[in-house]
Structures are given as C-alpha cells and as structure tokens.
Amino acid sequence: MSIKNVRKEVMQTLEKNVDSFLNDYLIPPEKIWQPSDFLPNPQSDSFMEEVREIREISKDLGNDFWITLVGDMITEEALPTYESWLMDLDGVSQHEENGDNGWAKWIRMWTAEENRHGDVLNKYIYLSGRVNMREVEITTQHLIADGFDIGTARDPYKNFVYTSFQELATYVSHNNVAKLARKAGMKNLGKMCKIIAGDEMRHHKAYTEFIRQIFAVDPSEMMMAYFDMMKLKITMPAMHLRESFGSQGNLFDKFSEVAQRAGVYTSFDYVDILRKLNKAWNIDKITGLSADAEKARNYLMRLPERMERIAERIVVPDTEHQFKWMNPIV
C-alpha cells in the first residue's frame, strides 16, 4: 500500500474518535466566551465613556506594542486560508454521502472557535484609535488573497505537526502581549489576550494528541513527517505580510524584528516549542522505527540545542521601522 493510502487509512481510524476530540478540546458556542464579553456594549448608556477610556489608556503604549498586536490580529484574520488548506488534506472530505466526514466537522468547529480571536482583536484595535485601520484592512486582504505554502501539500501528518507547532506559537505570542498589556494597566486587553492564549493552548493539545495517536499506529512515517517539517523549518502564517502597494512578504522581516524586540515572539520561543513537542510526543521512547526514522529521531533530539546556539548569535536591530499601520489617517 502506498504511503498516501496508509495515511488515509490512519486518518479514517482516528476519525472514529472525532466526537470525543470535539467534546474534549472544543466548547459549544453557548458556553464559550464571545467577543462582546470584552468590548463596550453599544446598547449601554456608558458605551461612549468606555470607548473614551480605551482610547486614553491606549496612548500609554508605544508603536512596537501596537505593531505586534496588529500583526497577531491580522494573522488571526487570515483564517479562511488556514481552513481551506486543512479542508484539502487527504482523509478530510466535505463530500461524503451524508456531507462532512468527521475531520471536516472538526475543522469547521475549530475554525469557528478561532474566528472569535480576530473578531475581538479587530474591534478593540479599531476602538483604540491608535492605528490606521484602512491600512490594516488592506494588509489583511492581501494576506488572505496571497495564500501560503507551508510545505505540507495534502499530507495530514505534516499538517498536524504544523498546527501543533503554530497553536503553541500563537499561545506564546498572545500570552506575552497579555503580560505587556497588564503591565501598562490595560487590564481588559490583558485579560482578552490571556483568554485567547488559553484557546490556542487547548487547540495545541488537540493537535498534539492527534500526532500522539498517529505515532502509536504508524511510528516510522510519523517520525519522518516530523523530521521533514523541522528540517524545512516551520513557515510562519504571516510570511506574506505586505502593506498597500507593497510586494508580497515585504513586511514580514520588519514585523519579526519588532516582535522579537518587544519580547512577544523570539527565536528562543521557537527553540522552546521544539523541546516541548519532542517531550509531548516522547520521541526518545518511541519503538519499532525503521533505520531512516531512527536517524530522523536522532536529528530531532539534537535540533533544539543546535537552534539555541543559532538563536544566541542573533542580534535584533533596534531600527525603528515605519509601518503604514501606524500612520495618521488622512
């Protein structure tokens, strides 16, 4: 049987547990928080007063903070790209006799939860008055239109490695923004980013569980898929960030520098995530590996130390990049 067909068969086996995954890792809309829980109520007499308070407090934080918060929001707003990519995986189908199969159902419900993140951040940033929303909206539209290639093709193993990594990376980013917001006295924004981070951690645990179960039934191919993704290096979802009239990806390096300088997401965070994934999947204890998979395991075990040495040599410039997001609205 071809590798592709084996993967499909494994996905079909795991699909039998999708309902338990939904119950364990996702929360019904009526029970989970909604964006309006953190935003001024437009039906309240105190609405304008609350908006003025947000605008006043927002003045206390510098451009680096707002650039990283906007970048996080835009990354969340590019959700249509992520859903369409996942819907194309081998083993995922929207066209079964009764409609969506279990995996398609999971992806739709995961997407529905993720959608709230960009929604609440967008509204808060809009109310803050600190950014040029038209420029932000142009960047978001470009990011969705440009799409991305994360190097996984339709391989579910590689895609679940990617989502395991990225969900933890977004947890780190939102959690660090929450700390900065609370330190500046923006308690509500801090709480908002903290609870978004909690969602990301819950989703991370789901995807790492999918990988754990794949390791149990197809250890060698799962190890090779993990190796391929780490050797390629994880591509960031915002890799194609651009401004109005800019070329594809011309903004990403500048944004990354700001995020590192602000301590929101750094090269050391990347290394820490590698360590956590190795530990979560107990790759040092997996048995029954092929010779190639054993070599892949050895590479993965050594990789965090190698990446850490590289991270220690990185010097983050203190250049104050100009972002159109922060330009006054004309």
Side-chain angles (χ1 to χ4, degrees), residues 12 78 113 140 146 153 160 167 189 192 200 208 216 220 222-223 227 279 295 307 312 324 326 328:
Q12 287 167 357
E113 281 202 4
T140 303
D146 288 338
F160 287 165
E167 293 285 13
L189 178 60
M192 181 193 308
E200 303 291 11
T208 53
S220 291
M222 186 62 252
M223 191 69 75
F227 164 78
K279 183 177 179 181
K295 291 178 184 176
M307 294 292 292
E312 287 169 350
K324 289 184 179 180
M326 305 308 298

Side-chain angles (χ1 to χ4, degrees), residues 103-296:
W103 284 117
K105 184 179 179 182
W106 163 269
I107 291 166
R108 288 194 190 285
M109 292 181 69
W110 167 82
T111 301
E113 281 202 4
E114 288 281 336
N115 183 67
R116 294 149 44 258
H117 301 167
D119 193 7
V120 70
L121 291 174
N122 187 306
K123 289 184 174 73
Y124 191 95
I125 290 168
Y126 174 82
L127 293 175
S128 77
R130 280 301 306 271
V131 305
N132 185 321
M133 285 304 295
R134 191 172 200 281
E135 285 294 337
V136 170
E137 289 156 1
I138 288 171
T139 297
T140 303
Q141 186 170 347
H142 273 308
L143 189 61
I144 296 171
D146 288 338
F148 70 160
D149 183 355
I150 56 177
T152 60
R154 301 181 69 187
D155 185 336
Y157 292 14
K158 291 181 180 179
N159 270 277
F160 287 165
V161 169
Y162 184 85
T163 48
S164 296
F165 188 103
Q166 277 303 334
E167 293 285 13
L168 191 49
T170 50
Y171 162 80
V172 169
S173 183
H174 288 301
N175 198 45
N176 284 332
V177 169
K179 292 175 184 176
L180 293 173
R182 288 199 302 272
K183 188 175 180 181
M186 302 175 75
K187 293 181 181 179
N188 204 38
L189 178 60
K191 185 177 179 182
M192 181 193 308
C193 292
K194 183 73 175 177
I195 202 166
I196 291 172
D199 282 357
E200 303 291 11
M201 176 57 76
R202 181 161 41 81
H203 297 163
H204 159 72
K205 288 178 179 178
Y207 286 109
T208 53
E209 179 59 25
F210 299 164
I211 294 289
R212 192 177 292 111
Q213 294 198 22
I214 294 171
F215 265 126
V217 295
D218 195 10
S220 291
E221 285 303 316
M222 186 62 252
M223 191 69 75
M224 294 304 299
Y226 183 25
F227 164 78
D228 287 343
M229 290 302 295
M230 293 302 108
K231 190 171 184 182
L232 183 67
K233 201 171 179 188
I234 294 293
T235 301
M236 294 298 113
M239 61 183 287
H240 290 328
L241 270 184
R242 62 161 99 180
E243 293 178 310
S244 59
F245 305 107
S247 58
Q248 188 180 92
N250 75 326
L251 200 60
F252 181 69
D253 287 345
K254 294 178 183 177
F255 172 70
S256 296
E257 284 182 16
V258 173
Q260 290 225 61
R261 189 165 61 232
V264 169
Y265 185 76
T266 70
S267 299
F268 291 103
D269 291 319
Y270 187 101
V271 175
D272 189 51
I273 291 170
L274 283 176
R275 286 199 172 100
K276 283 177 173 156
L277 291 180
N278 283 351
K279 183 177 179 181
W281 295 324
N282 292 316
I283 67 167
D284 58 324
K285 296 181 175 64
I286 291 173
T287 58
L289 296 176
S290 66
D292 285 342
E294 284 283 7
K295 291 178 184 176

Side-chain angles (χ1 to χ4, degrees), residues 3-201:
I3 289 175
K4 180 178 177 180
N5 287 337
V6 169
R7 278 161 167 64
K8 276 190 175 181
E9 189 173 297
V10 171
M11 287 288 281
Q12 287 167 357
T13 300
L14 264 62
E15 187 191 356
K16 296 172 185 175
N17 299 323
V18 162
D19 284 345
S20 67
F21 297 152
L22 294 172
N23 292 332
D24 291 343
Y25 298 109
L26 299 179
I27 301 172
E30 292 79 11
K31 294 183 179 180
I32 202 168
W33 66 269
Q34 295 297 334
S36 58
D37 297 335
F38 295 97
L39 298 165
N41 179 2
Q43 296 177 312
S44 168
D45 291 339
S46 62
F47 175 70
M48 295 305 299
E49 184 181 335
E50 292 177 55
V51 172
R52 277 192 291 272
E53 184 180 352
I54 289 174
R55 290 169 64 86
E56 282 302 312
I57 297 175
S58 296
K59 294 175 183 177
D60 295 335
L61 282 166
N63 282 5
D64 277 5
F65 174 84
W66 289 101
I67 288 166
T68 52
L69 183 62
V70 168
D72 280 355
M73 183 270 285
I74 291 170
T75 302
E76 296 284 359
E77 293 271 73
L79 191 57
T81 301
Y82 318 141
E83 182 184 33
S84 64
W85 191 275
L86 289 168
M87 279 295 190
D88 196 42
L89 295 185
D90 287 329
V92 178
S93 175
Q94 306 175 73
H95 309 291
E96 308 247 325
E97 185 177 334
N98 297 315
D100 293 346
N101 73 355
W103 284 117
K105 184 179 179 182
W106 163 269
I107 291 166
R108 288 194 190 285
M109 292 181 69
W110 167 82
T111 301
E113 281 202 4
E114 288 281 336
N115 183 67
R116 294 149 44 258
H117 301 167
D119 193 7
V120 70
L121 291 174
N122 187 306
K123 289 184 174 73
Y124 191 95
I125 290 168
Y126 174 82
L127 293 175
S128 77
R130 280 301 306 271
V131 305
N132 185 321
M133 285 304 295
R134 191 172 200 281
E135 285 294 337
V136 170
E137 289 156 1
I138 288 171
T139 297
T140 303
Q141 186 170 347
H142 273 308
L143 189 61
I144 296 171
D146 288 338
F148 70 160
D149 183 355
I150 56 177
T152 60
R154 301 181 69 187
D155 185 336
Y157 292 14
K158 291 181 180 179
N159 270 277
F160 287 165
V161 169
Y162 184 85
T163 48
S164 296
F165 188 103
Q166 277 303 334
E167 293 285 13
L168 191 49
T170 50
Y171 162 80
V172 169
S173 183
H174 288 301
N175 198 45
N176 284 332
V177 169
K179 292 175 184 176
L180 293 173
R182 288 199 302 272
K183 188 175 180 181
M186 302 175 75
K187 293 181 181 179
N188 204 38
L189 178 60
K191 185 177 179 182
M192 181 193 308
C193 292
K194 183 73 175 177
I195 202 166
I196 291 172
D199 282 357
E200 303 291 11
M201 176 57 76

